[in-house]
Amino acid sequence: MGNRLTRLYTKTGDAGTTGLGDGSRVNKDHYRVEVMGDVDELNSIIGLLLTYEIPPYIDEELTRIQHDLFDLGAEVCIPGHIVIEEKRVQELESGLDSINANLSALKEFILPGGNRAAAICHHARTVCRRAERRLVSLSHHEMISPFAMQYINRLSDYLFVIAREINRHAHTPDVLWRSLKK
């Protein structure tokens, strides 16, 4: 870890650029900066979710995911840097399968909702999907680790399952979509 900031503002970004972890500067609307912003927003929403009463095993996993997202942000911030490994993608898949095994089979589309914590988790899922889209856009211009791409893709599915599990644990039914067309 480099030097800690003693001042939070540097004025170096006043002209619309920001520094990356390798010392290079890019515009604040650069693909990398967009991805970093979405990953940061996702991490913040998960932080909000963690302020609610949720099962301890979900709390632990979401805390781990917050650390993963910080690592993913570092990976995106430093071109060529790789932090997310295949093992972590596999762990996420295993956790997803484990939680999903306790849920009823999906026979209908589910709308975001249920209890408040589940709704926030659904919000996190949608921000995760946006981060994934932006990461894909970045990958069209620069090399991105396939494990980072896999991780963010699995994470949105995992957040969907966690939202359902939060509802199940709270004895709150998922909100089922129904067509209003007759």
Side-chain angles (χ1 to χ4, degrees):
M1 167 75 65
N3 293 332
R4 299 267 182 191
L5 293 175
T6 55
R7 250 187 358 183
L8 293 181
Y9 62 91
T10 62
K11 300 183 183 181
T12 57
D14 290 352
T17 65
T18 192
L20 296 179
D22 66 355
S24 64
R25 295 197 70 77
V26 296
N27 289 327
K28 289 187 177 187
D29 62 353
H30 187 278
Y31 291 112
R32 281 191 185 278
V33 180
E34 292 288 347
V35 174
M36 290 185 306
D38 288 341
V39 169
D40 187 35
E41 182 181 355
L42 173 57
N43 208 338
S44 294
I45 294 168
I46 290 172
L48 175 63
L49 175 56
L50 287 168
T51 68
Y52 286 85
E53 276 195 42
I54 56 177
Y57 57 94
I58 291 177
D59 188 290
E60 290 171 18
E61 187 55 29
L62 288 175
T63 299
R64 173 119 191 252
I65 287 167
Q66 281 197 296
H67 289 274
D68 291 342
L69 289 172
F70 203 86
D71 287 342
L72 178 59
E75 188 169 315
V76 173
C77 182
I78 305 169
H81 186 62
I82 296 176
V83 182
I84 304 293
E85 297 176 343
E86 182 178 22
K87 178 184 178 206
R88 185 60 185 127
V89 175
Q90 292 168 349
E91 290 170 351
L92 205 59
E93 289 173 354
S94 176
L96 193 157
D97 291 341
S98 177
I99 291 173
N100 196 45
N102 295 323
L103 299 173
S104 61
L106 284 175
K107 297 178 182 173
E108 308 277 340
F109 287 108
I110 293 176
L111 298 177
N115 73 18
R116 195 173 285 226
I120 291 170
C121 195
H122 279 293
H123 183 201
R125 175 188 53 78
T126 65
V127 172
C128 186
R129 284 288 188 209
R130 180 177 1 114
E132 180 184 16
R133 290 189 304 272
R134 293 240 171 95
L135 191 62
V136 168
S137 293
L138 176 59
S139 76
H140 294 310
H141 302 277
E142 300 182 35
M143 168 51 189
I144 297 298
S145 161
F147 303 126
M149 300 279 281
Q150 292 168 16
Y151 179 85
I152 200 81
N153 185 28
R154 296 306 179 284
L155 181 56
S156 60
D157 295 334
Y158 197 30
L159 291 168
F160 176 79
V161 168
I162 288 175
R164 291 194 68 214
E165 175 66 5
I166 289 170
N167 277 333
R168 185 188 74 79
H169 189 266
H171 307 289
T172 303
D174 288 316
V175 179
L176 303 179
W177 172 79
R178 58 182 173 81
S179 176
L180 298 178
K181 293 182 181 179
K182 303 237 174 179

